[in-house]
Amino acid sequence: MKKDQAKWITYLLLCWKWKWLLLLCVAIGWGHGWYKLIKAPIFYETEVSLMISDLGASGGGGGMGILNLMQLQGGQSAQDLTILNILQSRRMAEAIATHFDFEKRYKISHILAVRKAMGMVHSTTFRRLVMVKTWAEEKQLAIDLAYFCVENLRRFNASLEINSNKSWVQILDPPEHSVQTTGRQQQKRAMILETILGAVMGVALVIGGHEFLRFKKIILDFRNKD
């Protein structure tokens, strides 16, 4: 036990002796992580909350209807799943890429423009609300994407006859209220990890160098005895 303690004390003294090397390794790791962080693109994320009316309202009005009231605590209805599929469909992505002219905006092919559009929209349901999240490199584009999805959803409703209620999609929370920057969380975590990695590499160099010199001395002593 005392031998192990002495060994650890030796390592600590070595680390203190070579503290500038350790600090240099930490600085290199932090600097590389910081460089990746500032070079990472900033994305704007926004969310729009939609209330979907169904056919159960009396007279076909704009109420939520019996079906929705019965399923407030339940799972997704067939109508919800249809809406989610539409919002994240290739057809919706085609419409987005065409409307915002992604080919010229990003100087990419049509196929890549559609793929990019599909990655900029995500939808889910929460307590009988449809939540649509959009991402973009520009704040206004993220907001416009959210509104376009809503308007295009109404066009899909008219063409596919999903719901005869003309006001079936109602915006509860407009996208302007939830705009926030995103896209750098991963780089922030990477910067912390690279800083820690720099410290570990520094300690490994110091201890590894010490052990190498000790092993080299043992070999030389063994040769001298021969």
Side-chain angles (χ1 to χ4, degrees):
M1 187 68 179
K2 291 183 178 180
K3 186 178 180 180
D4 292 338
Q5 289 178 345
K7 195 172 184 179
W8 280 110
I9 291 173
T10 301
Y11 288 158
L12 289 174
L13 291 174
L14 280 170
C15 290
W16 177 253
K17 180 181 178 180
W18 294 94
K19 56 183 177 294
W20 296 114
L21 176 61
L22 296 179
L23 290 174
L24 177 62
C25 292
V26 171
I28 291 173
W30 178 85
H32 186 255
W34 176 254
Y35 176 78
K36 287 166 61 176
L37 175 64
I38 62 176
K39 287 295 182 179
I42 298 177
F43 289 91
Y44 290 91
E45 175 186 295
T46 188
E47 183 178 86
V48 59
S49 303
L50 306 177
M51 183 174 68
I52 310 298
S53 302
D54 61 49
L55 296 175
S58 59
M64 290 186 68
I66 300 300
L67 175 63
N68 281 6
L69 290 173
M70 290 175 62
Q71 294 186 351
L72 280 175
Q73 302 299 327
Q76 295 174 332
S77 66
Q79 181 173 256
D80 291 339
L81 293 174
T82 301
I83 294 166
L84 295 181
N85 290 334
I86 289 173
L87 288 168
Q88 296 178 175
S89 67
R90 183 178 179 84
R91 185 173 172 183
M92 176 67 81
E94 289 265 5
I96 291 172
T98 301
H99 181 80
F100 293 99
D101 202 3
F102 277 10
E103 293 180 52
K104 288 185 178 179
R105 182 188 289 265
Y106 298 109
K107 297 180 181 179
I108 54 179
S109 66
H110 179 70
I111 294 176
L112 292 178
V114 174
R115 288 179 182 174
K116 186 175 183 65
M118 292 182 74
M120 296 169 73
V121 178
H122 176 72
S123 58
T124 186
T125 57
F126 177 73
R127 293 183 181 177
R128 299 295 298 150
L129 297 178
V130 174
M131 319 296 291
V132 183
K133 284 187 177 182
T134 57
W135 295 269
E137 297 89 341
E138 305 166 44
K139 180 180 179 180
Q140 191 57 49
L141 178 58
I143 295 172
D144 292 342
L145 275 173
Y147 279 121
F148 180 80
C149 286
V150 178
E151 290 303 319
N152 211 35
L153 189 59
R154 289 173 177 147
R155 296 189 192 101
F156 273 101
N157 182 53
S159 62
L160 300 177
E161 298 181 351
I162 303 171
N163 193 314
S164 62
N165 188 346
K166 293 183 180 180
S167 59
W168 76 311
V169 178
Q170 301 178 31
I171 297 176
L172 295 184
D173 299 309
E176 294 92 337
H177 294 172
S178 61
V179 178
Q180 61 180 351
T181 57
T182 185
R184 287 190 170 181
Q185 289 81 0
Q186 184 176 355
Q187 284 73 19
K188 288 179 181 179
R189 290 193 293 268
M191 184 180 71
I192 295 172
L193 289 175
E194 290 194 25
T195 304
I196 296 172
L197 179 61
V200 171
M201 289 296 294
V203 173
L205 285 173
V206 171
I207 296 177
H210 170 73
E211 293 296 330
F212 173 77
L213 292 176
R214 190 171 69 86
F215 181 73
K216 183 179 179 181
K217 184 176 181 300
I218 292 172
I219 296 297
L220 290 176
D221 291 343
F222 181 75
R223 286 182 177 178
N224 291 333
K225 287 180 180 179
D226 292 343

